[in-house]
Amino acid sequence: MRVHIVMDDGLVAEIDGRAGARGRTAYIVDALRRTLDDERRWDGIAAAIGVIDDEGHDWDADPAEWVHRQRAADALRFG
């Protein structure tokens, strides 16, 4: 689909300097995809805020020991 977007000359010149005049569309599409991916991740983070209770976890008493046990239980872990 074609979309008409108005940009100032300085922005277009900077894009062309990075992508080349023939790579402008691909550069803009890639930048928009990365931006939308980042925004989807932030949406997921925002939705997860407050989902985990503040207490009642296996790690509450001694977080370092809990991490140690988790790592020791991983058969694929080296070291």
Side-chain angles (χ1 to χ4, degrees):
M1 171 184 294
R2 289 184 177 265
V3 177
H4 180 82
I5 299 173
V6 178
M7 291 187 272
D8 64 67
D9 293 341
L11 182 58
V12 173
E14 188 171 351
I15 291 168
D16 288 351
R18 294 185 179 275
R22 303 296 298 167
R24 186 185 297 159
T25 297
Y27 184 89
I28 292 169
V29 167
D30 182 56
L32 290 172
R33 283 180 197 217
R34 283 185 280 126
T35 299
L36 290 169
D37 188 43
D38 286 348
E39 289 185 9
R40 280 190 293 271
R41 285 188 190 135
W42 281 113
D43 290 344
I45 290 168
I49 292 174
V51 171
I52 297 177
D53 294 329
D54 289 339
E55 53 188 42
H57 312 106
D58 293 342
W59 58 83
D60 285 344
D62 186 352
E65 175 59 27
W66 181 84
V67 169
H68 177 74
R69 283 191 322 245
Q70 295 299 308
R71 290 177 176 168
D74 185 354
L76 299 177
R77 180 174 165 78
F78 293 98

